[in-house]
Amino acid sequence: MESQQIILSKLNLIIGNIRTPDSKIDNDKISKSLRKDLNKAIFDVTNKTYDIPLTYHGQHSWILDLIRQQVFVYQNLSIVNNRVWANIESFNEISVMRNNLNIQDIQNQPTHTLIYILQAGDNAGELVLKYKKPNQKTYLHTCHVQQGNFYLFNSNIDYYFSKNLDEKDREYITWSCVEQ
């Protein structure tokens, strides 16, 4: 007799950072660019999550490439960008709960969500992941938000950022990604 295991669903959360003493990533420069994009953004009824469309900035690609390389080397996971946007939350603001599935395009679903924390104070809240295990019980997992950290997880996981209790705005860039 013979049997084999087939994994039908696997949930992952990868937490890391790309901060190094000699890093050339200029979060302040990227933040200024993000603020310009915020001034141009239109928040109408179709943008319920307050996503800020980003103008191309070379360091966005640099950040994504550094994270992709680290994830590939340490986790053997290769991802490519599908869509990118940013969000800013001020003191006492909380983000909207969401996931990054695209119901209008089932065939080209993103497989992963990648979030990079561009700016955050010491008390910037938590990233809260809400997911179900095979027993259909709902679970929450929280991750402390820290500037320079990245969080990579399955796109079907609901998530939100808890209340920002710091005077410094919480700024983050999100990529929906497809596994290669």
Side-chain angles (χ1 to χ4, degrees), residues 60-61 64-65 68 78-85 110 112 114 174-180:
H60 297 162
S61 296
L64 178 61
D65 287 344
R68 288 180 60 221
S78 179
I79 55 173
V80 293
N81 177 30
N82 184 359
R83 184 173 162 253
V84 63
W85 65 92
H112 291 81
L114 171 62
T174 305
W175 290 269
S176 64
C177 301
V178 177
E179 187 173 348
Q180 282 186 314

mmCIF file with all atom_site columns, all heavy atoms in Angstrom, residues 60-61 64-65 68 78-85 110 112 114 174-180:
data_model
loop_
_atom_site.group_PDB
_atom_site.id
_atom_site.type_symbol
_atom_site.label_atom_id
_atom_site.label_alt_id
_atom_site.label_comp_id
_atom_site.label_asym_id
_atom_site.label_entity_id
_atom_site.label_seq_id
_atom_site.pdbx_PDB_ins_code
_atom_site.Cartn_x
_atom_site.Cartn_y
_atom_site.Cartn_z
_atom_site.occupancy
_atom_site.B_iso_or_equiv
_atom_site.pdbx_formal_charge
_atom_site.auth_seq_id
_atom_site.auth_comp_id
_atom_site.auth_asym_id
_atom_site.auth_atom_id
_atom_site.pdbx_PDB_model_num
ATOM 1   N N   . HIS A 1 60  ? 11.241 52.480 -4.741  1.00 0.00 ? 60  HIS A N   1
ATOM 2   C CA  . HIS A 1 60  ? 10.176 51.473 -4.556  1.00 0.00 ? 60  HIS A CA  1
ATOM 3   C C   . HIS A 1 60  ? 10.655 50.137 -5.111  1.00 0.00 ? 60  HIS A C   1
ATOM 4   O O   . HIS A 1 60  ? 10.510 49.091 -4.465  1.00 0.00 ? 60  HIS A O   1
ATOM 5   C CB  . HIS A 1 60  ? 8.891  51.862 -5.292  1.00 0.00 ? 60  HIS A CB  1
ATOM 6   C CG  . HIS A 1 60  ? 8.253  53.115 -4.814  1.00 0.00 ? 60  HIS A CG  1
ATOM 7   N ND1 . HIS A 1 60  ? 7.336  53.795 -5.570  1.00 0.00 ? 60  HIS A ND1 1
ATOM 8   C CD2 . HIS A 1 60  ? 8.368  53.823 -3.672  1.00 0.00 ? 60  HIS A CD2 1
ATOM 9   C CE1 . HIS A 1 60  ? 6.927  54.857 -4.917  1.00 0.00 ? 60  HIS A CE1 1
ATOM 10  N NE2 . HIS A 1 60  ? 7.541  54.891 -3.757  1.00 0.00 ? 60  HIS A NE2 1
ATOM 11  N N   . SER A 1 61  ? 11.203 50.179 -6.315  1.00 0.00 ? 61  SER A N   1
ATOM 12  C CA  . SER A 1 61  ? 11.699 48.951 -6.953  1.00 0.00 ? 61  SER A CA  1
ATOM 13  C C   . SER A 1 61  ? 12.866 48.365 -6.171  1.00 0.00 ? 61  SER A C   1
ATOM 14  O O   . SER A 1 61  ? 12.989 47.150 -6.041  1.00 0.00 ? 61  SER A O   1
ATOM 15  C CB  . SER A 1 61  ? 12.140 49.227 -8.385  1.00 0.00 ? 61  SER A CB  1
ATOM 16  O OG  . SER A 1 61  ? 11.047 49.634 -9.152  1.00 0.00 ? 61  SER A OG  1
ATOM 17  N N   . LEU A 1 64  ? 11.475 46.589 -3.100  1.00 0.00 ? 64  LEU A N   1
ATOM 18  C CA  . LEU A 1 64  ? 10.854 45.337 -3.514  1.00 0.00 ? 64  LEU A CA  1
ATOM 19  C C   . LEU A 1 64  ? 11.912 44.295 -3.882  1.00 0.00 ? 64  LEU A C   1
ATOM 20  O O   . LEU A 1 64  ? 11.824 43.134 -3.468  1.00 0.00 ? 64  LEU A O   1
ATOM 21  C CB  . LEU A 1 64  ? 9.888  45.562 -4.674  1.00 0.00 ? 64  LEU A CB  1
ATOM 22  C CG  . LEU A 1 64  ? 9.202  44.321 -5.228  1.00 0.00 ? 64  LEU A CG  1
ATOM 23  C CD1 . LEU A 1 64  ? 8.352  43.626 -4.166  1.00 0.00 ? 64  LEU A CD1 1
ATOM 24  C CD2 . LEU A 1 64  ? 8.356  44.671 -6.453  1.00 0.00 ? 64  LEU A CD2 1
ATOM 25  N N   . ASP A 1 65  ? 12.923 44.702 -4.634  1.00 0.00 ? 65  ASP A N   1
ATOM 26  C CA  . ASP A 1 65  ? 13.975 43.756 -5.037  1.00 0.00 ? 65  ASP A CA  1
ATOM 27  C C   . ASP A 1 65  ? 14.746 43.218 -3.840  1.00 0.00 ? 65  ASP A C   1
ATOM 28  O O   . ASP A 1 65  ? 15.046 42.017 -3.776  1.00 0.00 ? 65  ASP A O   1
ATOM 29  C CB  . ASP A 1 65  ? 14.934 44.410 -6.035  1.00 0.00 ? 65  ASP A CB  1
ATOM 30  C CG  . ASP A 1 65  ? 14.320 44.576 -7.415  1.00 0.00 ? 65  ASP A CG  1
ATOM 31  O OD1 . ASP A 1 65  ? 13.287 43.925 -7.685  1.00 0.00 ? 65  ASP A OD1 1
ATOM 32  O OD2 . ASP A 1 65  ? 14.866 45.358 -8.215  1.00 0.00 ? 65  ASP A OD2 1
ATOM 33  N N   . ARG A 1 68  ? 12.440 40.735 -2.117  1.00 0.00 ? 68  ARG A N   1
ATOM 34  C CA  . ARG A 1 68  ? 12.300 39.533 -2.939  1.00 0.00 ? 68  ARG A CA  1
ATOM 35  C C   . ARG A 1 68  ? 13.531 38.651 -2.843  1.00 0.00 ? 68  ARG A C   1
ATOM 36  O O   . ARG A 1 68  ? 13.427 37.423 -2.723  1.00 0.00 ? 68  ARG A O   1
ATOM 37  C CB  . ARG A 1 68  ? 12.055 39.916 -4.404  1.00 0.00 ? 68  ARG A CB  1
ATOM 38  C CG  . ARG A 1 68  ? 10.684 40.483 -4.677  1.00 0.00 ? 68  ARG A CG  1
ATOM 39  C CD  . ARG A 1 68  ? 10.472 40.861 -6.136  1.00 0.00 ? 68  ARG A CD  1
ATOM 40  N NE  . ARG A 1 68  ? 10.634 39.676 -6.950  1.00 0.00 ? 68  ARG A NE  1
ATOM 41  C CZ  . ARG A 1 68  ? 11.267 39.643 -8.121  1.00 0.00 ? 68  ARG A CZ  1
ATOM 42  N NH1 . ARG A 1 68  ? 11.795 40.719 -8.628  1.00 0.00 ? 68  ARG A NH1 1
ATOM 43  N NH2 . ARG A 1 68  ? 11.349 38.530 -8.800  1.00 0.00 ? 68  ARG A NH2 1
ATOM 44  N N   . SER A 1 78  ? 9.658  32.714 -4.575  1.00 0.00 ? 78  SER A N   1
ATOM 45  C CA  . SER A 1 78  ? 9.878  33.741 -5.593  1.00 0.00 ? 78  SER A CA  1
ATOM 46  C C   . SER A 1 78  ? 8.551  34.424 -5.914  1.00 0.00 ? 78  SER A C   1
ATOM 47  O O   . SER A 1 78  ? 7.574  33.771 -6.274  1.00 0.00 ? 78  SER A O   1
ATOM 48  C CB  . SER A 1 78  ? 10.466 33.103 -6.852  1.00 0.00 ? 78  SER A CB  1
ATOM 49  O OG  . SER A 1 78  ? 10.669 34.077 -7.844  1.00 0.00 ? 78  SER A OG  1
ATOM 50  N N   . ILE A 1 79  ? 8.524  35.751 -5.775  1.00 0.00 ? 79  ILE A N   1
ATOM 51  C CA  . ILE A 1 79  ? 7.297  36.521 -6.031  1.00 0.00 ? 79  ILE A CA  1
ATOM 52  C C   . ILE A 1 79  ? 7.584  37.654 -7.009  1.00 0.00 ? 79  ILE A C   1
ATOM 53  O O   . ILE A 1 79  ? 8.716  38.125 -7.114  1.00 0.00 ? 79  ILE A O   1
ATOM 54  C CB  . ILE A 1 79  ? 6.709  37.105 -4.719  1.00 0.00 ? 79  ILE A CB  1
ATOM 55  C CG1 . ILE A 1 79  ? 7.758  37.942 -3.987  1.00 0.00 ? 79  ILE A CG1 1
ATOM 56  C CG2 . ILE A 1 79  ? 6.156  36.004 -3.831  1.00 0.00 ? 79  ILE A CG2 1
ATOM 57  C CD1 . ILE A 1 79  ? 7.245  38.694 -2.779  1.00 0.00 ? 79  ILE A CD1 1
ATOM 58  N N   . VAL A 1 80  ? 6.541  38.069 -7.729  1.00 0.00 ? 80  VAL A N   1
ATOM 59  C CA  . VAL A 1 80  ? 6.630  39.240 -8.612  1.00 0.00 ? 80  VAL A CA  1
ATOM 60  C C   . VAL A 1 80  ? 5.473  40.173 -8.283  1.00 0.00 ? 80  VAL A C   1
ATOM 61  O O   . VAL A 1 80  ? 4.408  39.750 -7.841  1.00 0.00 ? 80  VAL A O   1
ATOM 62  C CB  . VAL A 1 80  ? 6.598  38.855 -10.111 1.00 0.00 ? 80  VAL A CB  1
ATOM 63  C CG1 . VAL A 1 80  ? 7.845  38.098 -10.503 1.00 0.00 ? 80  VAL A CG1 1
ATOM 64  C CG2 . VAL A 1 80  ? 5.364  38.083 -10.467 1.00 0.00 ? 80  VAL A CG2 1
ATOM 65  N N   . ASN A 1 81  ? 5.716  41.447 -8.522  1.00 0.00 ? 81  ASN A N   1
ATOM 66  C CA  . ASN A 1 81  ? 4.735  42.483 -8.229  1.00 0.00 ? 81  ASN A CA  1
ATOM 67  C C   . ASN A 1 81  ? 3.540  42.412 -9.182  1.00 0.00 ? 81  ASN A C   1
ATOM 68  O O   . ASN A 1 81  ? 3.698  42.252 -10.380 1.00 0.00 ? 81  ASN A O   1
ATOM 69  C CB  . ASN A 1 81  ? 5.410  43.858 -8.325  1.00 0.00 ? 81  ASN A CB  1
ATOM 70  C CG  . ASN A 1 81  ? 4.441  44.988 -8.098  1.00 0.00 ? 81  ASN A CG  1
ATOM 71  O OD1 . ASN A 1 81  ? 3.468  44.857 -7.379  1.00 0.00 ? 81  ASN A OD1 1
ATOM 72  N ND2 . ASN A 1 81  ? 4.714  46.116 -8.722  1.00 0.00 ? 81  ASN A ND2 1
ATOM 73  N N   . ASN A 1 82  ? 2.356  42.545 -8.625  1.00 0.00 ? 82  ASN A N   1
ATOM 74  C CA  . ASN A 1 82  ? 1.124  42.601 -9.404  1.00 0.00 ? 82  ASN A CA  1
ATOM 75  C C   . ASN A 1 82  ? 0.574  44.031 -9.383  1.00 0.00 ? 82  ASN A C   1
ATOM 76  O O   . ASN A 1 82  ? 0.176  44.564 -10.394 1.00 0.00 ? 82  ASN A O   1
ATOM 77  C CB  . ASN A 1 82  ? 0.120  41.603 -8.809  1.00 0.00 ? 82  ASN A CB  1
ATOM 78  C CG  . ASN A 1 82  ? -1.154 41.494 -9.580  1.00 0.00 ? 82  ASN A CG  1
ATOM 79  O OD1 . ASN A 1 82  ? -1.339 42.177 -10.572 1.00 0.00 ? 82  ASN A OD1 1
ATOM 80  N ND2 . ASN A 1 82  ? -2.040 40.641 -9.134  1.00 0.00 ? 82  ASN A ND2 1
ATOM 81  N N   . ARG A 1 83  ? 0.561  44.644 -8.206  1.00 0.00 ? 83  ARG A N   1
ATOM 82  C CA  . ARG A 1 83  ? 0.014  45.993 -8.014  1.00 0.00 ? 83  ARG A CA  1
ATOM 83  C C   . ARG A 1 83  ? 0.674  46.606 -6.788  1.00 0.00 ? 83  ARG A C   1
ATOM 84  O O   . ARG A 1 83  ? 1.051  45.894 -5.861  1.00 0.00 ? 83  ARG A O   1
ATOM 85  C CB  . ARG A 1 83  ? -1.498 45.887 -7.816  1.00 0.00 ? 83  ARG A CB  1
ATOM 86  C CG  . ARG A 1 83  ? -2.202 47.199 -7.701  1.00 0.00 ? 83  ARG A CG  1
ATOM 87  C CD  . ARG A 1 83  ? -3.736 47.012 -7.678  1.00 0.00 ? 83  ARG A CD  1
ATOM 88  N NE  . ARG A 1 83  ? -4.327 48.225 -7.158  1.00 0.00 ? 83  ARG A NE  1
ATOM 89  C CZ  . ARG A 1 83  ? -4.866 48.346 -5.946  1.00 0.00 ? 83  ARG A CZ  1
ATOM 90  N NH1 . ARG A 1 83  ? -4.932 47.313 -5.139  1.00 0.00 ? 83  ARG A NH1 1
ATOM 91  N NH2 . ARG A 1 83  ? -5.349 49.492 -5.544  1.00 0.00 ? 83  ARG A NH2 1
ATOM 92  N N   . VAL A 1 84  ? 0.800  47.944 -6.759  1.00 0.00 ? 84  VAL A N   1
ATOM 93  C CA  . VAL A 1 84  ? 1.416  48.624 -5.625  1.00 0.00 ? 84  VAL A CA  1
ATOM 94  C C   . VAL A 1 84  ? 0.598  49.858 -5.246  1.00 0.00 ? 84  VAL A C   1
ATOM 95  O O   . VAL A 1 84  ? 0.027  50.513 -6.111  1.00 0.00 ? 84  VAL A O   1
ATOM 96  C CB  . VAL A 1 84  ? 2.890  49.000 -5.914  1.00 0.00 ? 84  VAL A CB  1
ATOM 97  C CG1 . VAL A 1 84  ? 2.999  49.989 -7.066  1.00 0.00 ? 84  VAL A CG1 1
ATOM 98  C CG2 . VAL A 1 84  ? 3.577  49.541 -4.682  1.00 0.00 ? 84  VAL A CG2 1
ATOM 99  N N   . TRP A 1 85  ? 0.534  50.144 -3.948  1.00 0.00 ? 85  TRP A N   1
ATOM 100 C CA  . TRP A 1 85  ? -0.132 51.338 -3.430  1.00 0.00 ? 85  TRP A CA  1
ATOM 101 C C   . TRP A 1 85  ? 0.448  51.644 -2.060  1.00 0.00 ? 85  TRP A C   1
ATOM 102 O O   . TRP A 1 85  ? 1.252  50.875 -1.532  1.00 0.00 ? 85  TRP A O   1
ATOM 103 C CB  . TRP A 1 85  ? -1.650 51.154 -3.359  1.00 0.00 ? 85  TRP A CB  1
ATOM 104 C CG  . TRP A 1 85  ? -2.090 50.098 -2.397  1.00 0.00 ? 85  TRP A CG  1
ATOM 105 C CD1 . TRP A 1 85  ? -2.419 50.258 -1.076  1.00 0.00 ? 85  TRP A CD1 1
ATOM 106 C CD2 . TRP A 1 85  ? -2.249 48.704 -2.669  1.00 0.00 ? 85  TRP A CD2 1
ATOM 107 N NE1 . TRP A 1 85  ? -2.764 49.043 -0.521  1.00 0.00 ? 85  TRP A NE1 1
ATOM 108 C CE2 . TRP A 1 85  ? -2.668 48.085 -1.477  1.00 0.00 ? 85  TRP A CE2 1
ATOM 109 C CE3 . TRP A 1 85  ? -2.065 47.917 -3.792  1.00 0.00 ? 85  TRP A CE3 1
ATOM 110 C CZ2 . TRP A 1 85  ? -2.903 46.717 -1.380  1.00 0.00 ? 85  TRP A CZ2 1
ATOM 111 C CZ3 . TRP A 1 85  ? -2.305 46.560 -3.692  1.00 0.00 ? 85  TRP A CZ3 1
ATOM 112 C CH2 . TRP A 1 85  ? -2.726 45.977 -2.514  1.00 0.00 ? 85  TRP A CH2 1
ATOM 113 N N   . PRO A 1 110 ? -3.719 37.563 -6.919  1.00 0.00 ? 110 PRO A N   1
ATOM 114 C CA  . PRO A 1 110 ? -2.426 37.641 -6.243  1.00 0.00 ? 110 PRO A CA  1
ATOM 115 C C   . PRO A 1 110 ? -2.350 36.528 -5.199  1.00 0.00 ? 110 PRO A C   1
ATOM 116 O O   . PRO A 1 110 ? -3.367 36.158 -4.601  1.00 0.00 ? 110 PRO A O   1
ATOM 117 C CB  . PRO A 1 110 ? -2.447 39.020 -5.578  1.00 0.00 ? 110 PRO A CB  1
ATOM 118 C CG  . PRO A 1 110 ? -3.875 39.423 -5.534  1.00 0.00 ? 110 PRO A CG  1
ATOM 119 C CD  . PRO A 1 110 ? -4.585 38.689 -6.618  1.00 0.00 ? 110 PRO A CD  1
ATOM 120 N N   . HIS A 1 112 ? 0.149  36.569 -2.697  1.00 0.00 ? 112 HIS A N   1
ATOM 121 C CA  . HIS A 1 112 ? 0.735  37.097 -1.474  1.00 0.00 ? 112 HIS A CA  1
ATOM 122 C C   . HIS A 1 112 ? 0.536  38.609 -1.370  1.00 0.00 ? 112 HIS A C   1
ATOM 123 O O   . HIS A 1 112 ? 0.429  39.298 -2.382  1.00 0.00 ? 112 HIS A O   1
ATOM 124 C CB  . HIS A 1 112 ? 2.240  36.802 -1.414  1.00 0.00 ? 112 HIS A CB  1
ATOM 125 C CG  . HIS A 1 112 ? 2.542  35.358 -1.237  1.00 0.00 ? 112 HIS A CG  1
ATOM 126 N ND1 . HIS A 1 112 ? 2.541  34.463 -2.278  1.00 0.00 ? 112 HIS A ND1 1
ATOM 127 C CD2 . HIS A 1 112 ? 2.829  34.642 -0.128  1.00 0.00 ? 112 HIS A CD2 1
ATOM 128 C CE1 . HIS A 1 112 ? 2.826  33.256 -1.819  1.00 0.00 ? 112 HIS A CE1 1
ATOM 129 N NE2 . HIS A 1 112 ? 3.004  33.338 -0.516  1.00 0.00 ? 112 HIS A NE2 1
ATOM 130 N N   . LEU A 1 114 ? 2.515  41.863 0.373   1.00 0.00 ? 114 LEU A N   1
ATOM 131 C CA  . LEU A 1 114 ? 3.780  42.292 0.941   1.00 0.00 ? 114 LEU A CA  1
ATOM 132 C C   . LEU A 1 114 ? 3.622  43.729 1.422   1.00 0.00 ? 114 LEU A C   1
ATOM 133 O O   . LEU A 1 114 ? 3.215  44.597 0.651   1.00 0.00 ? 114 LEU A O   1
ATOM 134 C CB  . LEU A 1 114 ? 4.894  42.208 -0.101  1.00 0.00 ? 114 LEU A CB  1
ATOM 135 C CG  . LEU A 1 114 ? 6.243  42.820 0.282   1.00 0.00 ? 114 LEU A CG  1
ATOM 136 C CD1 . LEU A 1 114 ? 6.849  42.113 1.498   1.00 0.00 ? 114 LEU A CD1 1
ATOM 137 C CD2 . LEU A 1 114 ? 7.199  42.777 -0.903  1.00 0.00 ? 114 LEU A CD2 1
ATOM 138 N N   . THR A 1 174 ? 2.318  48.788 0.044   1.00 0.00 ? 174 THR A N   1
ATOM 139 C CA  . THR A 1 174 ? 1.808  47.425 -0.096  1.00 0.00 ? 174 THR A CA  1
ATOM 140 C C   . THR A 1 174 ? 1.918  46.989 -1.559  1.00 0.00 ? 174 THR A C   1
ATOM 141 O O   . THR A 1 174 ? 1.576  47.748 -2.460  1.00 0.00 ? 174 THR A O   1
ATOM 142 C CB  . THR A 1 174 ? 0.334  47.343 0.355   1.00 0.00 ? 174 THR A CB  1
ATOM 143 O OG1 . THR A 1 174 ? 0.233  47.850 1.683   1.00 0.00 ? 174 THR A OG1 1
ATOM 144 C CG2 . THR A 1 174 ? -0.185 45.922 0.311   1.00 0.00 ? 174 THR A CG2 1
ATOM 145 N N   . TRP A 1 175 ? 2.384  45.781 -1.730  1.00 0.00 ? 175 TRP A N   1
ATOM 146 C CA  . TRP A 1 175 ? 2.422  45.157 -3.052  1.00 0.00 ? 175 TRP A CA  1
ATOM 147 C C   . TRP A 1 175 ? 1.545  43.906 -3.000  1.00 0.00 ? 175 TRP A C   1
ATOM 148 O O   . TRP A 1 175 ? 1.645  43.110 -2.067  1.00 0.00 ? 175 TRP A O   1
ATOM 149 C CB  . TRP A 1 175 ? 3.826  44.703 -3.423  1.00 0.00 ? 175 TRP A CB  1
ATOM 150 C CG  . TRP A 1 175 ? 4.815  45.776 -3.694  1.00 0.00 ? 175 TRP A CG  1
ATOM 151 C CD1 . TRP A 1 175 ? 5.105  46.347 -4.895  1.00 0.00 ? 175 TRP A CD1 1
ATOM 152 C CD2 . TRP A 1 175 ? 5.704  46.398 -2.742  1.00 0.00 ? 175 TRP A CD2 1
ATOM 153 N NE1 . TRP A 1 175 ? 6.108  47.275 -4.757  1.00 0.00 ? 175 TRP A NE1 1
ATOM 154 C CE2 . TRP A 1 175 ? 6.486  47.322 -3.439  1.00 0.00 ? 175 TRP A CE2 1
ATOM 155 C CE3 . TRP A 1 175 ? 5.895  46.246 -1.362  1.00 0.00 ? 175 TRP A CE3 1
ATOM 156 C CZ2 . TRP A 1 175 ? 7.458  48.111 -2.822  1.00 0.00 ? 175 TRP A CZ2 1
ATOM 157 C CZ3 . TRP A 1 175 ? 6.855  47.028 -0.731  1.00 0.00 ? 175 TRP A CZ3 1
ATOM 158 C CH2 . TRP A 1 175 ? 7.613  47.947 -1.461  1.00 0.00 ? 175 TRP A CH2 1
ATOM 159 N N   . SER A 1 176 ? 0.666  43.731 -3.971  1.00 0.00 ? 176 SER A N   1
ATOM 160 C CA  . SER A 1 176 ? 0.043  42.424 -4.139  1.00 0.00 ? 176 SER A CA  1
ATOM 161 C C   . SER A 1 176 ? 0.954  41.675 -5.114  1.00 0.00 ? 176 SER A C   1
ATOM 162 O O   . SER A 1 176 ? 1.391  42.232 -6.121  1.00 0.00 ? 176 SER A O   1
ATOM 163 C CB  . SER A 1 176 ? -1.396 42.533 -4.649  1.00 0.00 ? 176 SER A CB  1
ATOM 164 O OG  . SER A 1 176 ? -1.438 43.099 -5.930  1.00 0.00 ? 176 SER A OG  1
ATOM 165 N N   . CYS A 1 177 ? 1.275  40.441 -4.777  1.00 0.00 ? 177 CYS A N   1
ATOM 166 C CA  . CYS A 1 177 ? 2.295  39.696 -5.524  1.00 0.00 ? 177 CYS A CA  1
ATOM 167 C C   . CYS A 1 177 ? 1.763  38.355 -5.991  1.00 0.00 ? 177 CYS A C   1
ATOM 168 O O   . CYS A 1 177 ? 0.816  37.812 -5.418  1.00 0.00 ? 177 CYS A O   1
ATOM 169 C CB  . CYS A 1 177 ? 3.512  39.456 -4.645  1.00 0.00 ? 177 CYS A CB  1
ATOM 170 S SG  . CYS A 1 177 ? 4.277  40.965 -4.024  1.00 0.00 ? 177 CYS A SG  1
ATOM 171 N N   . VAL A 1 178 ? 2.418  37.829 -7.001  1.00 0.00 ? 178 VAL A N   1
ATOM 172 C CA  . VAL A 1 178 ? 2.105  36.514 -7.526  1.00 0.00 ? 178 VAL A CA  1
ATOM 173 C C   . VAL A 1 178 ? 3.342  35.636 -7.374  1.00 0.00 ? 178 VAL A C   1
ATOM 174 O O   . VAL A 1 178 ? 4.456  36.060 -7.690  1.00 0.00 ? 178 VAL A O   1
ATOM 175 C CB  . VAL A 1 178 ? 1.691  36.596 -9.013  1.00 0.00 ? 178 VAL A CB  1
ATOM 176 C CG1 . VAL A 1 178 ? 1.431  35.213 -9.580  1.00 0.00 ? 178 VAL A CG1 1
ATOM 177 C CG2 . VAL A 1 178 ? 0.478  37.498 -9.180  1.00 0.00 ? 178 VAL A CG2 1
ATOM 178 N N   . GLU A 1 179 ? 3.130  34.431 -6.871  1.00 0.00 ? 179 GLU A N   1
ATOM 179 C CA  . GLU A 1 179 ? 4.234  33.490 -6.722  1.00 0.00 ? 179 GLU A CA  1
ATOM 180 C C   . GLU A 1 179 ? 4.630  32.964 -8.102  1.00 0.00 ? 179 GLU A C   1
ATOM 181 O O   . GLU A 1 179 ? 3.779  32.622 -8.919  1.00 0.00 ? 179 GLU A O   1
ATOM 182 C CB  . GLU A 1 179 ? 3.813  32.331 -5.819  1.00 0.00 ? 179 GLU A CB  1
ATOM 183 C CG  . GLU A 1 179 ? 4.918  31.381 -5.471  1.00 0.00 ? 179 GLU A CG  1
ATOM 184 C CD  . GLU A 1 179 ? 4.499  30.341 -4.453  1.00 0.00 ? 179 GLU A CD  1
ATOM 185 O OE1 . GLU A 1 179 ? 3.430  30.471 -3.830  1.00 0.00 ? 179 GLU A OE1 1
ATOM 186 O OE2 . GLU A 1 179 ? 5.261  29.378 -4.279  1.00 0.00 ? 179 GLU A OE2 1
ATOM 187 N N   . GLN A 1 180 ? 5.936  32.879 -8.337  1.00 0.00 ? 180 GLN A N   1
ATOM 188 C CA  . GLN A 1 180 ? 6.432  32.372 -9.616  1.00 0.00 ? 180 GLN A CA  1
ATOM 189 C C   . GLN A 1 180 ? 6.715  30.891 -9.524  1.00 0.00 ? 180 GLN A C   1
ATOM 190 O O   . GLN A 1 180 ? 7.167  30.389 -8.555  1.00 0.00 ? 180 GLN A O   1
ATOM 191 C CB  . GLN A 1 180 ? 7.724  33.068 -10.031 1.00 0.00 ? 180 GLN A CB  1
ATOM 192 C CG  . GLN A 1 180 ? 7.488  34.424 -10.597 1.00 0.00 ? 180 GLN A CG  1
ATOM 193 C CD  . GLN A 1 180 ? 8.765  35.018 -11.127 1.00 0.00 ? 180 GLN A CD  1
ATOM 194 O OE1 . GLN A 1 180 ? 9.802  34.976 -10.466 1.00 0.00 ? 180 GLN A OE1 1
ATOM 195 N NE2 . GLN A 1 180 ? 8.708  35.569 -12.314 1.00 0.00 ? 180 GLN A NE2 1
#
